[in-house]
Amino acid sequence: MKSIYLDHAASTPVHPEVAEEMMRVMTGQYGNASSVHAFGRAAKRTVSGARDRIAKFLGCLPDEIVFTAGGTESDNLALFGAASMRRSKGNHIITSSIEHHAVLHACEELEKEGFRVTYLPVDHTGRVRPEDLEAALSEDTILISIMYANNEVRLRQTLISTLEQEIGRDAFVINGHQEECLPHIVNISFPQTDTETLLMNLDMEGIAAASGSACTSGSLELSHVLEAMQLPQNVLRSAIRFSFGLGNTTEDMEYTAQKIETILRRLT
Ligand SMILES: Cc1ncc(COP(=O)(O)O)c(C=O)c1O
């Protein structure tokens, strides 16, 4: 049986070139970058070189890059760090209701510390309205934390167009904005079934996808993101997130769409 992994947003394989570079550093450059001896200086050169390359790629200053152990730590550092640095200038923070829990929970914590947080709503495509942001701004606003998403992608398009051929455009709903979406993720609802049933059947066909939300994908809770978009119940309860990455092919997408057709036919 074919095995197709479409849950790259939850976890994804390390690119072989990255793994190779990490092996080189972990086994060959074990000095502490703060040590003054030759081993330490070599490690420092590697860290500084990586920082410079990332800054160039992102178009920011090397000093603006802070290495952390992961996403939650980064969000916490950015929010708690910026809030405490600017506390004397104001106490208002703006975010949106569809941020990752690492951001939302940090904001709730900041509220307990006396900050005022505005959680902006989103439209049914999941976008913050610029006029809402403008209206929320005040003299006291010291921090705005709103996620960024951009567009395009071939795997996404192949999955959608094959689904159109296989089950017809009326049988599924693409959640989120069609143009301004993340390149490697598509969230699709199949209102004639429900999320768990479809995920289980896909798994039996060797296809791994996820439920609507990012880090609650293992739970049966409805996604706070899709809920904030105020989607109809049957759309909310049948959402599947497909996220693409290393190793996925357009053939995988065709195969996945065909399997969805078979499953839906079997179920209905
Ligand atoms: C914005 C954001 N913050 C935090 C996380 C969690 O990352 P980690 O598991 O590295 O803490 C994610 C994961 O997708 C994320 O998208």
Side-chain angles (χ1 to χ4, degrees), residues 9-10 69-73 75 99-103 147 214-215:
T72 305
E73 191 187 333
D75 293 334
E99 299 306 305
H100 191 276
H101 280 137
V103 171
M147 65 167 78
C215 289

PDB file of all heavy atoms in Angstrom, residues 9-10 69-73 75 99-103 147 214-215, ligand 1:
ATOM      1  N   ALA A   9       2.546  20.136   8.605  1.00  0.00           N
ATOM      2  CA  ALA A   9       2.430  21.279   9.502  1.00  0.00           C
ATOM      3  C   ALA A   9       2.571  20.841  10.957  1.00  0.00           C
ATOM      4  O   ALA A   9       2.903  21.646  11.825  1.00  0.00           O
ATOM      5  CB  ALA A   9       1.083  21.984   9.304  1.00  0.00           C
ATOM      6  N   ALA A  10       2.327  19.553  11.230  1.00  0.00           N
ATOM      7  CA  ALA A  10       2.461  19.055  12.601  1.00  0.00           C
ATOM      8  C   ALA A  10       3.919  18.702  12.890  1.00  0.00           C
ATOM      9  O   ALA A  10       4.469  19.024  13.938  1.00  0.00           O
ATOM     10  CB  ALA A  10       1.568  17.841  12.812  1.00  0.00           C
ATOM     11  N   ALA A  69      14.654  27.242  21.119  1.00  0.00           N
ATOM     12  CA  ALA A  69      14.505  25.798  20.914  1.00  0.00           C
ATOM     13  C   ALA A  69      13.257  25.454  20.120  1.00  0.00           C
ATOM     14  O   ALA A  69      13.056  24.309  19.739  1.00  0.00           O
ATOM     15  CB  ALA A  69      14.481  25.095  22.268  1.00  0.00           C
ATOM     16  N   GLY A  70      12.388  26.427  19.842  1.00  0.00           N
ATOM     17  CA  GLY A  70      11.170  26.077  19.094  1.00  0.00           C
ATOM     18  C   GLY A  70      10.159  27.208  19.049  1.00  0.00           C
ATOM     19  O   GLY A  70      10.414  28.321  19.532  1.00  0.00           O
ATOM     20  N   GLY A  71       9.008  26.891  18.468  1.00  0.00           N
ATOM     21  CA  GLY A  71       7.974  27.898  18.213  1.00  0.00           C
ATOM     22  C   GLY A  71       7.385  28.527  19.472  1.00  0.00           C
ATOM     23  O   GLY A  71       7.272  29.751  19.569  1.00  0.00           O
ATOM     24  N   THR A  72       7.007  27.690  20.436  1.00  0.00           N
ATOM     25  CA  THR A  72       6.365  28.205  21.643  1.00  0.00           C
ATOM     26  C   THR A  72       7.306  29.137  22.399  1.00  0.00           C
ATOM     27  O   THR A  72       6.917  30.227  22.829  1.00  0.00           O
ATOM     28  CB  THR A  72       5.949  27.032  22.559  1.00  0.00           C
ATOM     29  OG1 THR A  72       5.126  26.159  21.790  1.00  0.00           O
ATOM     30  CG2 THR A  72       5.203  27.508  23.784  1.00  0.00           C
ATOM     31  N   GLU A  73       8.561  28.709  22.490  1.00  0.00           N
ATOM     32  CA  GLU A  73       9.545  29.532  23.188  1.00  0.00           C
ATOM     33  C   GLU A  73       9.725  30.869  22.463  1.00  0.00           C
ATOM     34  O   GLU A  73       9.826  31.927  23.102  1.00  0.00           O
ATOM     35  CB  GLU A  73      10.876  28.782  23.265  1.00  0.00           C
ATOM     36  CG  GLU A  73      11.862  29.446  24.181  1.00  0.00           C
ATOM     37  CD  GLU A  73      13.243  28.805  24.128  1.00  0.00           C
ATOM     38  OE1 GLU A  73      13.343  27.601  23.813  1.00  0.00           O
ATOM     39  OE2 GLU A  73      14.217  29.526  24.372  1.00  0.00           O
ATOM     40  N   ASP A  75       7.510  32.477  20.548  1.00  0.00           N
ATOM     41  CA  ASP A  75       6.322  33.313  20.774  1.00  0.00           C
ATOM     42  C   ASP A  75       6.364  33.936  22.164  1.00  0.00           C
ATOM     43  O   ASP A  75       6.096  35.127  22.342  1.00  0.00           O
ATOM     44  CB  ASP A  75       5.040  32.473  20.649  1.00  0.00           C
ATOM     45  CG  ASP A  75       4.823  31.995  19.220  1.00  0.00           C
ATOM     46  OD1 ASP A  75       5.312  32.646  18.286  1.00  0.00           O
ATOM     47  OD2 ASP A  75       4.153  30.959  19.040  1.00  0.00           O
ATOM     48  N   GLU A  99      -4.840  33.224  16.441  1.00  0.00           N
ATOM     49  CA  GLU A  99      -3.412  32.943  16.622  1.00  0.00           C
ATOM     50  C   GLU A  99      -3.204  31.545  17.206  1.00  0.00           C
ATOM     51  O   GLU A  99      -4.116  30.957  17.782  1.00  0.00           O
ATOM     52  CB  GLU A  99      -2.786  33.971  17.569  1.00  0.00           C
ATOM     53  CG  GLU A  99      -2.860  35.393  17.081  1.00  0.00           C
ATOM     54  CD  GLU A  99      -2.282  35.579  15.689  1.00  0.00           C
ATOM     55  OE1 GLU A  99      -1.115  35.215  15.469  1.00  0.00           O
ATOM     56  OE2 GLU A  99      -3.002  36.097  14.816  1.00  0.00           O
ATOM     57  N   HIS A 100      -1.985  31.065  17.107  1.00  0.00           N
ATOM     58  CA  HIS A 100      -1.605  29.800  17.733  1.00  0.00           C
ATOM     59  C   HIS A 100      -1.782  29.925  19.251  1.00  0.00           C
ATOM     60  O   HIS A 100      -1.630  31.016  19.801  1.00  0.00           O
ATOM     61  CB  HIS A 100      -0.134  29.519  17.405  1.00  0.00           C
ATOM     62  CG  HIS A 100       0.310  28.142  17.762  1.00  0.00           C
ATOM     63  ND1 HIS A 100       0.728  27.807  19.031  1.00  0.00           N
ATOM     64  CD2 HIS A 100       0.378  27.019  17.031  1.00  0.00           C
ATOM     65  CE1 HIS A 100       1.051  26.527  19.053  1.00  0.00           C
ATOM     66  NE2 HIS A 100       0.846  26.019  17.853  1.00  0.00           N
ATOM     67  N   HIS A 101      -2.078  28.805  19.898  1.00  0.00           N
ATOM     68  CA  HIS A 101      -2.274  28.863  21.354  1.00  0.00           C
ATOM     69  C   HIS A 101      -1.043  29.398  22.094  1.00  0.00           C
ATOM     70  O   HIS A 101      -1.172  29.994  23.168  1.00  0.00           O
ATOM     71  CB  HIS A 101      -2.657  27.481  21.900  1.00  0.00           C
ATOM     72  CG  HIS A 101      -4.113  27.191  21.694  1.00  0.00           C
ATOM     73  ND1 HIS A 101      -4.587  25.972  21.258  1.00  0.00           N
ATOM     74  CD2 HIS A 101      -5.209  27.979  21.837  1.00  0.00           C
ATOM     75  CE1 HIS A 101      -5.902  26.024  21.154  1.00  0.00           C
ATOM     76  NE2 HIS A 101      -6.306  27.234  21.486  1.00  0.00           N
ATOM     77  N   ALA A 102       0.118  29.189  21.499  1.00  0.00           N
ATOM     78  CA  ALA A 102       1.337  29.713  22.149  1.00  0.00           C
ATOM     79  C   ALA A 102       1.267  31.236  22.253  1.00  0.00           C
ATOM     80  O   ALA A 102       1.818  31.823  23.190  1.00  0.00           O
ATOM     81  CB  ALA A 102       2.579  29.288  21.372  1.00  0.00           C
ATOM     82  N   VAL A 103       0.588  31.878  21.310  1.00  0.00           N
ATOM     83  CA  VAL A 103       0.418  33.338  21.348  1.00  0.00           C
ATOM     84  C   VAL A 103      -0.771  33.689  22.248  1.00  0.00           C
ATOM     85  O   VAL A 103      -0.670  34.542  23.139  1.00  0.00           O
ATOM     86  CB  VAL A 103       0.201  33.905  19.920  1.00  0.00           C
ATOM     87  CG1 VAL A 103      -0.192  35.379  19.970  1.00  0.00           C
ATOM     88  CG2 VAL A 103       1.453  33.704  19.076  1.00  0.00           C
ATOM     89  N   MET A 147      -0.612  36.876  12.836  1.00  0.00           N
ATOM     90  CA  MET A 147       0.124  35.958  11.952  1.00  0.00           C
ATOM     91  C   MET A 147       0.092  36.407  10.483  1.00  0.00           C
ATOM     92  O   MET A 147      -0.825  37.091  10.041  1.00  0.00           O
ATOM     93  CB  MET A 147      -0.429  34.550  12.082  1.00  0.00           C
ATOM     94  CG  MET A 147      -1.856  34.388  11.607  1.00  0.00           C
ATOM     95  SD  MET A 147      -2.277  32.662  11.462  1.00  0.00           S
ATOM     96  CE  MET A 147      -2.563  32.196  13.153  1.00  0.00           C
ATOM     97  N   ALA A 214      -4.059  23.311  14.404  1.00  0.00           N
ATOM     98  CA  ALA A 214      -2.638  23.008  14.337  1.00  0.00           C
ATOM     99  C   ALA A 214      -2.213  22.055  15.448  1.00  0.00           C
ATOM    100  O   ALA A 214      -1.995  20.876  15.214  1.00  0.00           O
ATOM    101  CB  ALA A 214      -1.832  24.291  14.406  1.00  0.00           C
ATOM    102  N   CYS A 215      -2.168  22.561  16.682  1.00  0.00           N
ATOM    103  CA  CYS A 215      -1.601  21.710  17.723  1.00  0.00           C
ATOM    104  C   CYS A 215      -2.635  20.955  18.531  1.00  0.00           C
ATOM    105  O   CYS A 215      -2.312  20.212  19.439  1.00  0.00           O
ATOM    106  CB  CYS A 215      -0.647  22.498  18.587  1.00  0.00           C
ATOM    107  SG  CYS A 215       0.830  22.848  17.621  1.00  0.00           S
TER     108      CYS A 215
HETATM  109  C1  LIG B   1       2.954  30.198  15.725  1.00  0.00           C
HETATM  110  C2  LIG B   1       3.370  28.901  16.374  1.00  0.00           C
HETATM  111  N1  LIG B   1       3.839  28.920  17.640  1.00  0.00           N
HETATM  112  C3  LIG B   1       4.223  27.775  18.254  1.00  0.00           C
HETATM  113  C4  LIG B   1       4.143  26.552  17.625  1.00  0.00           C
HETATM  114  C5  LIG B   1       4.579  25.331  18.379  1.00  0.00           C
HETATM  115  O1  LIG B   1       5.903  25.086  18.084  1.00  0.00           O
HETATM  116  P1  LIG B   1       6.834  24.205  19.044  1.00  0.00           P
HETATM  117  O2  LIG B   1       6.249  22.846  19.080  1.00  0.00           O
HETATM  118  O3  LIG B   1       8.181  24.258  18.359  1.00  0.00           O
HETATM  119  O4  LIG B   1       6.881  24.861  20.387  1.00  0.00           O
HETATM  120  C6  LIG B   1       3.667  26.485  16.313  1.00  0.00           C
HETATM  121  C7  LIG B   1       3.556  25.178  15.636  1.00  0.00           C
HETATM  122  O5  LIG B   1       3.055  25.043  14.553  1.00  0.00           O
HETATM  123  C8  LIG B   1       3.271  27.690  15.680  1.00  0.00           C
HETATM  124  O6  LIG B   1       2.784  27.670  14.430  1.00  0.00           O
END
